[in-house]
């Protein structure tokens, strides 16, 4: 079976039209207008920054989860415990786009008032691109660190192993730069985010070499080892392939991934991953442990920004390894991609676009021309 649709002819969409369309899809599926717009804006924002894995390709999967009761519309976080500088929040499997916003805003408010804060978010629906949350904190002038696990999602093999024991567990940190673009480091601790495998499966950018391990312990970049022999149409399920994603950075990335399960999973109360009893009724949720720091409790914000700026210049002055290459700092690639896509439009593989349209059609929502 052909599981990757090889094509260079992406569909190009205007971001505003896509936001309107996706908003309508989520409104029709049962979200309030506010939440629907929040989901549409964040998914499209991920595409605009080049993270197609966390963009609108997720629409059919999100709608499916809503219809199956695996994620809930319009939730407000429950405060499990709270003091001046910390809180444990339960997201009750609400959409991560709005639950994440509530959790981050609480962390920001506490750090603004007391200099630092730690927020443990448990049981959130998919919080999407974690860089969104670091950007939100940076806009408020705060340094932030976010550690995330994906409960009930076993996609990644530990270093030295070939069986799935881990999730794609992202790590993210943001550095505010007053009046300038913040520095945002944001990546999955797997060699590729699952969504990138989904993008590759549906004809988009191929996965890096060696990002997968087969059931026999061989390295591969074919997403079939994650998804198995299933059609790219619809909502590909990453849980049924015989192989696994690998962690990034060999034993070091595997160790970081382990830490995400413990801090974002076990410590927040989301739970670290364990065998999944029934794949059909599992609730996939993110746990997120976030630390917020006001620069001013350490030193003047201007001095800090000037030092960060100098260091960026120093790093970027390294001679490129390849002719015509460029040294980038964290967050720069996303900014470049956003600038490009603001001009060229937002590219989607024909397959990803067909799946979104099929989802819209089922709800009676008309796609933009
Ligand atoms: P990635 O491999 O594209 O790495 C992104 C990071 O590397 C960014 O900080 C970027 O600025 C930096 N970068 C990119 N190119 C660079 C270059 N040439 N030089 C220097 N730095 C460079 O990201 P990924 O691992 O595919 O993750 C994609 C997204 O998936 C992230 O936004 C992550 O938060 C998200 N994610 C979310 C979940 C979830 O459950 N919510 C799970 C996994 C991943």
């Amino acid at each position: 079976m052909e599981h990757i649709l090889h094509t260079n002819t992406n569909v190009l969409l205007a971001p505003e039209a896509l936001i309107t369309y996706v908003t309508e899809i989520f409104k029709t599926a049962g979200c309030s207008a506010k939440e629907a717009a929040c989901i549409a804006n964040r998914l499209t924002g991920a595409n605009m920054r080049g993270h197609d894995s966390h963009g609108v390709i997720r629409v059919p999967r999100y709608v499916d989860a809503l219809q199956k009761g695996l994620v809930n519309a319009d939730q407000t976080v429950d405060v499990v415990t709270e003091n001046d500088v910390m809180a444990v929040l339960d997201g009750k499997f609400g959409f991560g786009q709005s639950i994440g916003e509530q959790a981050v805003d609480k962390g920001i408010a506490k750090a603004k008032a007391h200099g630092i804060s730690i927020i443990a978010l448990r049981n959130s629906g998919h919080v999407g691109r974690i860089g969104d949350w670091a950007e939100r904190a940076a806009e408020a002038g705060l340094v932030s660190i976010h550690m995330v696990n994906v409960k009930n999602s076993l996609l990644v093999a530990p270093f030295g192993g070939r069986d799935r024991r881990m999730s794609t567990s992202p790590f993210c940190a943001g550095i505010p730069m007053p009046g300038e673009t913040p520095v945002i480091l944001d990546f999955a601790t797997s060699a590729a985010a699952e969504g990138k495998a989904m993008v590759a499966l549906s004809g988009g950018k191929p996965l890096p070499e060696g990002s997968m391990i087969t059931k026999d312990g061989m390295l591969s970049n074919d997403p079939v080892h994650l998804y198995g022999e299933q059609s790219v149409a619809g909502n590909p399920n990453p849980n049924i392939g015989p192989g696994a994603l690998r962690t990034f950075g060999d034993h070091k990335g595997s160790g970081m991934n382990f830490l995400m399960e413990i801090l974002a999973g076990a410590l927040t109360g989301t739970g670290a991953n364990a065998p999944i009893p029934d794949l059909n009724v599992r609730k996939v949720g993110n746990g997120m442990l976030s630390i917020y720091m006001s620069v001013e409790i350490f030193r003047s914000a201007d001095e800090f920004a000037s030092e960060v700026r100098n260091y960026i210049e120093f790093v970027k002055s390294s001679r490129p390894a390849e002719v015509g290459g460029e040294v980038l700092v964290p967050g720069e690639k996303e900014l470049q991609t956003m600038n490009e896509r603001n001009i060229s439009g937002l590219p989607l593989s024909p397959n990803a676009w067909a799946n979104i349209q099929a989802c819209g059609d089922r709800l009676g929502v008309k796609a933009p021309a």
Side-chain angles (χ1 to χ4, degrees):
M1 181 193 291
E2 176 69 312
H3 37 82
I4 306 178
L5 188 71
H6 294 282
T7 174
N8 292 322
T9 49
N10 279 331
V11 181
L12 282 175
L13 294 150
E16 304 73 29
L18 191 59
I19 289 171
T20 307
Y21 178 48
V22 173
T23 301
E24 216 43 50
I25 288 181
F26 283 103
K27 260 166 60 183
T28 312
C31 298
S32 65
K34 183 168 175 248
E35 179 160 272
C38 174
I39 298 169
N41 272 291
R42 292 213 174 277
L43 292 181
T44 308
N47 282 106
M48 291 302 285
R49 288 165 179 80
H51 291 295
D52 299 338
S53 56
H54 286 67
V56 293
I57 196 169
R58 302 239 164 202
V59 168
R61 193 182 282 185
Y62 278 16
V63 169
D64 186 54
L66 181 63
Q67 289 172 340
K68 288 182 175 151
L70 301 174
V71 67
N72 307 311
D74 297 303
Q75 296 297 302
T76 304
V77 292
D78 278 352
V79 177
V80 180
T81 174
E82 181 172 27
N83 65 29
D84 283 351
V85 294
M86 65 81 66
V88 178
L89 306 176
D90 192 327
K92 300 180 291 185
F93 294 95
F95 273 99
Q97 285 70 18
S98 35
I99 293 296
E101 216 164 271
Q102 294 169 43
V104 171
D105 287 351
K106 193 174 258 299
I108 291 173
K110 286 182 187 294
K112 282 284 196 192
H114 304 286
I116 54 166
S117 70
I118 301 184
I119 303 294
L121 173 64
R122 63 171 69 153
N123 305 331
S124 174
H126 189 244
V127 287
R129 172 184 171 258
I130 312 304
D132 278 359
W133 311 123
E135 279 171 11
R136 198 169 175 92
E139 270 165 31
L142 299 171
V143 172
S144 67
I145 298 173
H146 309 265
M147 289 162 275
V148 178
N149 86 327
V150 198
K151 174 73 176 175
N152 282 336
S153 168
L154 286 174
L155 305 178
V156 182
F159 179 69
R162 65 175 102 153
D163 296 318
R164 302 172 178 209
R165 293 290 181 269
M166 297 169 153
S167 60
T168 53
S169 300
F171 174 85
C172 177
I175 312 290
M177 293 289 288
E180 297 168 47
T181 314
V183 176
I184 305 288
L185 176 66
D186 173 28
F187 56 80
T189 53
S190 48
E194 185 267 314
K196 291 211 162 126
M198 187 162 52
V199 169
L201 187 79
S202 57
K205 193 175 166 194
L207 290 175
E209 288 300 330
S211 50
M212 312 277 315
I213 188 159
T214 72
K215 65 179 181 5
D216 304 315
M218 306 299 289
L219 301 190
S220 170
N221 77 333
D222 189 337
V224 74
H225 300 294
L226 196 63
Y227 295 92
E229 293 285 353
Q230 57 180 306
S231 162
V232 291
N235 192 8
N237 179 353
N239 297 289
I240 56 182
L245 280 164
R246 298 174 70 224
T247 58
F248 85 102
D250 294 333
H251 55 291
K252 303 180 195 185
S254 191
M256 251 186 109
N257 186 305
F258 184 91
L259 195 72
M260 300 299 113
E261 287 285 356
I262 301 305
L263 296 183
L267 192 65
T268 62
T270 299
N273 268 299
I276 302 168
D278 184 347
L279 276 177
N280 295 315
V281 293
R282 84 210 153 110
K283 286 192 165 181
V284 179
N286 277 140
M288 179 161 80
L289 187 77
S290 301
I291 303 169
Y292 302 89
M293 294 174 268
S294 160
V295 173
E296 283 89 353
I297 60 167
F298 299 96
R299 64 186 302 192
S300 106
D302 285 346
E303 280 172 10
F304 176 67
S306 144
E307 189 139 349
V308 176
R309 201 175 298 117
N310 289 344
Y311 188 61
I312 290 174
E313 269 177 35
F314 181 50
V315 167
K316 288 183 70 64
S317 71
S318 174
R319 287 172 304 143
E322 288 171 12
V323 179
E326 187 187 4
V327 175
L328 301 178
V329 294
E332 209 177 347
K333 178 81 185 155
E334 285 75 6
L335 194 66
Q336 288 181 348
T337 309
M338 189 152 67
N339 290 338
E340 283 162 24
R341 291 187 174 185
N342 269 328
I343 296 167
S344 67
L346 188 159
L348 279 183
S349 76
N351 221 45
W353 180 227
N355 284 342
I356 297 165
Q357 283 179 292
C359 172
D361 289 350
R362 282 193 293 278
L363 292 164
V365 181
K366 198 170 173 319

